[in-house]
Amino acid sequence: DHLGIAVPDLVAASAFYRDVLGMDEVRHKVLAEDGLAVTFMLAPTPGLSVELISPLPGARELTDLLGDHTVQVFLRGQPQGGLHHVCFRTHDFAAAKRSLEAAGVAALGNGKGIIGASGRPVMFFAPTLPAGMLVEVKEVPRDPAVQAAA
């Protein structure tokens, strides 16, 4: 579905992705209760989207959901930012969870997921082998017209 990029400065990152990489800013959203601001960018190449994620100053961390894999923890380790997670779409949340857990990849948080920045249900999975990075799974409807809006 998208690449989640942690950035220390959302305005500067959005300008870079727009002006240098030619991406279009689709939506900006402040998730005050999650302590994050996100900007969704679309590339001229169909199917490539980026979610730029930046912590709000002084905000709480989503440790109840992500443990030590929050954007804030990521930026403390990599202050310049970088790839935080890869998100994959699924039509069947429960089947995706069973498949990942059968492969030894543990769900983070309560194991039930949350409503993500896109307004769709999402769940995060621990960065373990063979995935090697934080994985987000986003449930989207089977109807292509509804999926395009998701």
Side-chain angles (χ1 to χ4, degrees), residues 40-85:
F40 296 93
M41 308 291 292
L42 282 178
T45 307
L48 177 60
S49 64
V50 171
E51 175 187 36
L52 301 174
I53 315 159
S54 187
L56 296 171
R60 78 174 189 95
E61 296 183 29
L62 291 173
T63 54
D64 53 332
L65 176 67
L66 296 176
D68 61 355
H69 304 292
T70 67
V71 170
Q72 292 89 336
V73 169
F74 184 93
L75 288 171
R76 284 195 289 273
Q78 286 186 242
Q80 75 284 2
L83 181 62
H84 179 256
H85 66 269

Side-chain angles (χ1 to χ4, degrees), residues 89-115:
R89 291 179 179 189
T90 183
H91 300 300
D92 186 342
F93 221 33
K97 182 180 180 212
R98 283 192 305 273
S99 177
L100 284 161
E101 289 178 336
V105 181
L108 294 174
N110 63 11
K112 296 181 186 195
I114 61 168
I115 299 300

